[in-house]
Amino acid sequence: MARGRLRVLLGAAPGVGKTYTMLEEGSRLAAEGRDVVIAVVETHGRTATARMLEGLEVVPRSSVTHRGVTLSEMDLGAVLERHPDVALVDELAHSNAPGSQNPKRWNDVEALLDAGIDVMTTVNIQHLESLGDVVEQITGARQQETVPDRVVRAADQLEVVDLAPQALRDRLADGRVYPAERIDAALSNYFRLGNLTALRELALLWLADEVDSALKSYRADHGIASKWEARERVVVALTGGPEGETLLKRGARIAARSAGGTLVAVHVTSQDGLRAAHPGALAAQRSLVESLGGTFHQVVGDDIPAALVDYARGVNATQLVIGVSRRTRLSAALSGPGIGATVIRASGDIDVHIVTHAAAGGRLSLPRFSGSLTARRRVLGFVLALGGGPLVTWLLVAMRSDESITSDVLTFQLLVVLVALVGGIWPALFAALLSGLTLDFFFVDPLYTVSVGEPLHLLALGLYVVNAVLVSVVVDTAARRSRQARRAAAESELLATIAGSVLRGQDALQALVARTREAFMLNEVRLRAGDGSVLAVSTLRTASMARGANRNDLSPDAASVAASTIPVGDHATLELCGSDLAASERRLLGVIAAQMEQALEHRDLAATASEVGPLAVADRMRSALLAAVGHDLRRPLTAATAAVSGLRSTEVQLSSDDRSELLDTAQESLDALADLVTDLLDVSRVEAGVLAVSIHPVSVDDIIVPALDELELGPDRVELAMDDGELPPVLADEVLLQRVLVNLLSNAVRFSPHGAKVRLSASVFRGRVELRVVDSGPGVPSERRDEIFVPFQRLGDTDNSTGLGLGLALSKGFVEGMGGTIEAEDTPGGGLTMVVSLPAVEPMIEPAEKAAS
């Protein structure tokens, strides 16, 4: 049996019209003669969606009982038995009730597809498993129900049901998405305009990437190597040189000329025959790429032109931007075609732009022969030439014969090669000239005269010089590569050490300054702010300053004049005291300075966030307070006002019973209003840290009984389980502790199943008394337990008749104010257990008992 086809309707948020579109498409297919059934659809009370069910066959759902609650789920067996052509399955990420055939609805969909049934389903972008962290950053809420990306990616047809964010908010405000009591909370939380805009962009980009991946797969499956200009992809080749900024800006302008154009920068990590990439410049160019809306990539390849062209083809590039060669004219003439010419020949149908820049070309200059070998090796080369020449001459003169001239020449040639290997170019040239003169003087007729009678003698001398130059160039190149490798290893080790110091928890700025002083063997390194204050300092006398010390009160030594300064961003300076640094060391120092700039920026952002955080919390608190007060205070105020107005009315004659009932109503409403205001004032005192607490020894029994009486809870609702031994008193405020128990018990009773008892226990553990309020209700997910102690938080509960959501927040503040703790735990078998732990009063020891002990 052929596998069914999967069609997924993807939305950015609830309410964009996925279910409506699915039902509309199902009706169209049914009208065309296809056998269509509704396996499961959630209308969420939306009238327009419910009307779309008309005319379509609905497979009855199955009932699953879990913890005394009956839940309805899709009846997979019934749908398989019915075996329609197309099954409509809503909410692909839905988690089935425990006891169902499959744990997830997408597992049910897989079973339908395996049975040869086509499935049309819906899912929101926030339910994709790979996007959980991104969605949480946008909305602040972690999605519990997710579907693996592979399930959606495997769809035969994937389409986005799109709706503008403001249009969705308008639908929500009109009551076409959620019931009236949920509208205000939704608009002020999940359905903020910024959230919806970000989710919409996320959905569209995810779909665009999927389309791009499908296109790449199609081209690969069909062996299509030519470019398909679905959109402009501009690849800019960076070497780390100064021309990078010019190339990136030109590439960005090319990409911006077409809608949907993308900018990609690539750096091939290999020697280009000119100079190594400057890490600081490459980091700056990477930041520029990101600011231009592009991406930065690094590839490894020995053949740079081939690596560039292969990468460009791999990303389906339409344009390739490279810079004019920075080689000198002599270097270009000696080494042949450069990277640009090779890339153009290999690019095929990819357009190549060769952009000129300020660093293009170069003056005619000779290659440098010095600087790679150490002075010690050059001296050893001259010593070998001066000492080896006479020694070889003495040996060859002693063994000279008429046929030995060939071996004499080769022996001196070997000496020149050895000198070149040891000392490089200048000692080799010296040895070549010296050996040529020696051969002419001692071994070529006429002997003991320096004369050139044959042109071949000049040729021999020239060959000596050429051999010396070639060997010395190889030696110089090898020495340069060796020094570069050692330098790169040392730099990598230094940067790894600096990163390790920061990752191990050390202060980032102080670690960077300390490692800089140690790496470059300086006397002192200081990081100064723009106002002259010292942010971090490390001296040879004291490895680092202690945290928290006043870094402005420096000793005279520490205040010494810096030998050199390095700017760190726009608002700081790195001062170096000690020996001058080489140019190569300053290059590495530039990288460290860039890291310091990032650390300073991170510190400033953290400081700003710490300042904004409390303001944001306060703003959310005020918003929540206004939203809650708008409903919870209106009811008692309205009831009290109506009762008093009725009592004062002269138009209606009230009986004594009516007057008594109105007075009772007013009294109850005003009491409820007083309780709400008291809770609000208590929360404000807890948040401000000015809660008045009177702590003294209190008997737990004296608290439990009044709390049960206040809630009118008897043995039929609460089961008491006290410790077998006598409970010691606790250090607490009896009024606050009673209010804590009342809040916890009322919550437990409200969320417990009908007929189930709440269990209240008290026990002693390690010098503390623990009160446990245990219920067998739905419980709270472990990752959301901290939220239940936040003011105005009811974990999505939309029943505004249950109060402002302050009970647990007040309980936490009261318990902590008494020196105790309150925690939420899982109830074995299901439910939530609230644990209040308070310090127990230690029993007094009589003097006689002390003496006996």
Side-chain angles (χ1 to χ4, degrees), residues 568-636:
V568 179
D570 298 330
H571 306 292
T573 303
L574 187 65
E575 299 179 351
L576 312 174
C577 300
S579 59
D580 292 334
L581 301 180
S584 59
E585 292 176 330
R586 287 186 175 273
R587 181 176 64 86
L588 178 59
L589 196 60
V591 179
I592 298 176
Q595 292 187 355
M596 290 183 179
E597 182 179 2
Q598 294 296 323
L600 283 172
E601 183 178 355
H602 181 271
R603 189 196 64 170
D604 294 341
L605 290 175
T608 302
S610 64
E611 295 175 358
V612 173
L615 297 178
V617 172
D619 183 66
R620 288 196 300 269
M621 183 79 72
R622 284 192 296 270
S623 299
L625 174 61
L626 291 175
V629 167
H631 183 279
D632 290 82
L633 296 186
R634 186 182 299 119
R635 289 186 298 103

Side-chain angles (χ1 to χ4, degrees), residues 64-71 98 752-756 776-778 829:
V64 179
T65 302
H66 177 63
R67 294 179 182 174
V69 179
T70 301
L71 304 172
S752 292
H754 180 70
S776 54

Side-chain angles (χ1 to χ4, degrees), residues 49 71 178 222 239 298 339 412 428 433 450 517 528 546 554 580 589 618 673 675 677 700 710 724 787 815 826:
T49 304
L71 304 172
Y178 287 147
H222 291 77
T239 65
Q298 281 186 291
I339 293 176
F412 276 102
L433 292 173
V450 179
R517 184 196 60 77
R528 286 190 181 274
L554 301 176
D580 292 334
L589 196 60
L673 183 60
D675 291 339
V677 173
V700 175
E710 181 177 342
D724 294 336
E787 298 180 24
V815 172
D826 284 328

Side-chain angles (χ1 to χ4, degrees), residues 744 772-773 779-782 784-786 788-789 808 812 821-827 831-836:
L744 298 182
R772 293 176 175 267
V773 180
V780 176
S782 57
R784 301 198 65 185
R785 286 179 189 160
D786 291 340
I788 64 177
F789 296 107
L808 291 179
K812 182 178 178 64
T821 60
I822 181 170
E823 297 177 350
E825 300 178 353
D826 284 328
T827 299
L832 187 68
T833 298
M834 302 299 298
V835 183
V836 177

Side-chain angles (χ1 to χ4, degrees), residues 191-493:
F191 286 81
R192 291 197 299 266
L193 187 61
N195 288 1
L196 297 178
T197 303
L199 291 173
R200 184 191 191 196
E201 181 182 17
L202 193 63
L204 294 175
L205 289 176
W206 194 88
L207 180 63
D209 289 340
E210 285 304 300
V211 173
D212 196 37
S213 299
L215 179 60
K216 289 181 180 178
S217 299
Y218 179 85
R219 296 176 71 234
D221 294 340
H222 291 77
I224 301 174
S226 60
K227 65 177 181 180
W228 283 14
E229 298 185 12
R231 56 176 172 174
E232 291 286 352
R233 284 186 177 85
V234 182
V235 174
V236 179
L238 298 178
T239 65
E243 75 281 2
E245 182 176 351
T246 301
L247 301 183
L248 288 173
K249 291 181 179 179
R250 176 61 63 85
R253 289 197 296 270
I254 295 173
R257 291 172 186 166
S258 63
T262 57
L263 176 67
V264 180
V266 60
H267 171 65
V268 180
T269 56
S270 175
Q271 290 280 29
D272 61 0
L274 303 174
R275 64 182 67 178
H278 192 296
L282 206 57
Q285 291 168 14
R286 181 170 190 161
S287 299
L288 178 59
V289 172
E290 295 172 352
S291 67
L292 293 173
T295 57
F296 179 89
H297 304 272
Q298 281 186 291
V299 297
V300 178
D302 294 329
D303 188 344
I304 296 178
L308 284 176
V309 174
D310 289 345
Y311 179 81
R313 292 192 185 281
V315 298
N316 196 24
T318 59
Q319 314 276 343
L320 181 58
V321 179
I322 61 177
V324 174
S325 175
R326 289 180 281 124
R327 299 181 302 165
T328 62
R329 290 190 293 272
L330 178 60
S331 177
L334 293 176
S335 58
I339 293 176
T342 308
V343 167
I344 291 175
R345 286 199 301 269
S347 62
D349 53 0
I350 301 176
D351 297 337
V352 179
H353 301 263
I354 299 182
V355 180
T356 187
H357 48 83
R363 297 176 297 175
L364 184 63
S365 60
L366 294 174
R368 298 176 59 188
F369 294 114
S370 61
S372 297
L373 296 176
T374 63
R376 181 173 177 271
R377 288 188 60 176
R378 290 195 293 271
V379 170
L380 287 177
F382 280 110
V383 170
L384 180 60
L386 291 173
L391 179 60
V392 170
T393 302
W394 177 73
L395 291 174
L396 293 179
V397 168
M399 296 183 294
R400 183 172 54 189
S401 65
D402 294 340
E403 293 81 13
S404 63
I405 185 63
T406 302
S407 62
D408 296 339
V409 172
L410 293 176
T411 303
F412 276 102
Q413 182 67 64
L414 177 61
L415 175 64
V416 173
V417 172
L418 291 175
V419 172
L421 290 174
V422 173
I425 183 65
W426 299 117
L429 290 175
F430 174 73
L433 292 173
L434 185 60
S435 62
L437 294 174
T438 302
L439 279 171
D440 186 66
F441 189 81
F442 288 102
F443 300 98
V444 179
D445 293 329
L447 300 177
Y448 310 117
T449 60
V450 179
S451 61
V452 181
E454 295 291 337
L456 291 177
H457 294 172
L458 288 176
L459 178 60
L461 183 61
L463 291 175
Y464 272 96
V465 174
V466 170
N467 288 337
V469 170
L470 292 178
V471 174
S472 61
V473 167
V474 172
V475 173
D476 189 77
T477 302
R480 181 184 299 111
R481 296 284 174 84
S482 177
R483 293 185 64 186
Q484 288 175 349
R486 290 195 301 270
R487 181 72 184 180
E491 292 177 358
S492 299
E493 184 178 0

